[in-house]
Amino acid sequence: MKFLICTVLAAVAIAAPQYNYQAPAASSEEDSNERVVVHQRDDSGERVAILRDERVMEEDGRFNVEFEAANGIHFAKAGSPETESGAIIQAGQYSYTAPDGTEVLVKFVANENGYQPESDLLPVAPEFPHPIPQFVLDQIAFAEEQRARGVRFDDSVEEPSASYGAPQ
């Protein structure tokens, strides 16, 4: 029985689809003892030249990363560890040309308050949808006057009649 189970498991393993993933080819050139990637494939499969790829990692955790591609993508980020919590505070920016031709520039900070991007193209929450009508402001002022005079709103309301809604 054990032999039969092992044989079935081996047959299933052999029959399973074999995936042969190959990462996109990248060529490189040695330049001043740094590895510089010259070409990388984009989503359409076309090769894009990498014009600059600089990475600096300090022993104390500080770092700088700059990247520039021939298709107009620019990326720069710097960071350092926060001494108390060990979290990494980062700041940087990236830019690219959108498919409609719009130049996109996003500046960001990532710290204890989270990721905070800034860009002219990011949506902005609208201001209050409309001005507060004067009668609402008057009602608020009236309520404040009554509160200042010590009028309790519960005292001014009469209890409903016990026979309210009862047949007569």
Side-chain angles (χ1 to χ4, degrees):
M1 184 68 168
K2 293 179 184 177
F3 178 72
L4 181 61
I5 292 173
C6 289
T7 306
V8 169
L9 288 175
V12 169
I14 292 171
Q18 302 296 316
Y19 298 103
N20 188 10
Y21 174 76
Q22 294 180 358
S27 60
S28 64
E29 294 178 2
E30 296 296 324
D31 181 26
S32 69
N33 297 329
E34 292 184 19
R35 182 172 184 270
V36 178
V37 177
V38 177
H39 293 285
Q40 186 71 24
R41 297 187 190 279
D42 67 3
D43 292 338
S44 67
E46 294 184 30
R47 294 177 75 114
V48 177
I50 306 301
L51 305 176
R52 184 169 47 119
D53 187 359
E54 299 174 7
R55 299 163 193 258
V56 177
M57 301 289 289
E58 302 291 339
E59 289 185 20
D60 62 357
R62 292 179 294 136
F63 68 90
N64 288 319
V65 176
E66 291 189 50
F67 171 88
E68 182 178 355
N71 62 358
I73 296 174
H74 299 276
F75 177 83
K77 177 171 68 169
S80 63
E82 183 181 326
T83 56
E84 293 141 15
S85 68
I88 296 178
I89 298 174
Q90 303 177 28
Q93 67 181 27
Y94 58 89
S95 65
Y96 62 92
T97 303
D100 66 356
T102 305
E103 290 293 325
V104 177
L105 172 65
V106 178
K107 295 180 180 182
F108 65 90
V109 173
N111 57 21
E112 65 275 358
N113 297 322
Y115 178 73
Q116 304 156 47
E118 291 181 21
S119 176
D120 294 339
L121 299 176
L122 291 175
V124 178
E127 294 193 26
F128 195 73
H130 53 78
I132 299 175
Q134 187 59 44
F135 73 91
V136 173
L137 295 173
D138 293 342
Q139 188 67 32
I140 293 171
F142 177 71
E144 288 299 323
E145 287 174 17
Q146 284 189 328
R147 186 173 293 127
R149 288 189 310 204
V151 175
R152 289 182 36 120
F153 295 104
D154 297 335
D155 295 341
S156 63
V157 177
E158 295 180 20
E159 290 293 323
S161 169
S163 64
Y164 178 75
Q168 297 195 13

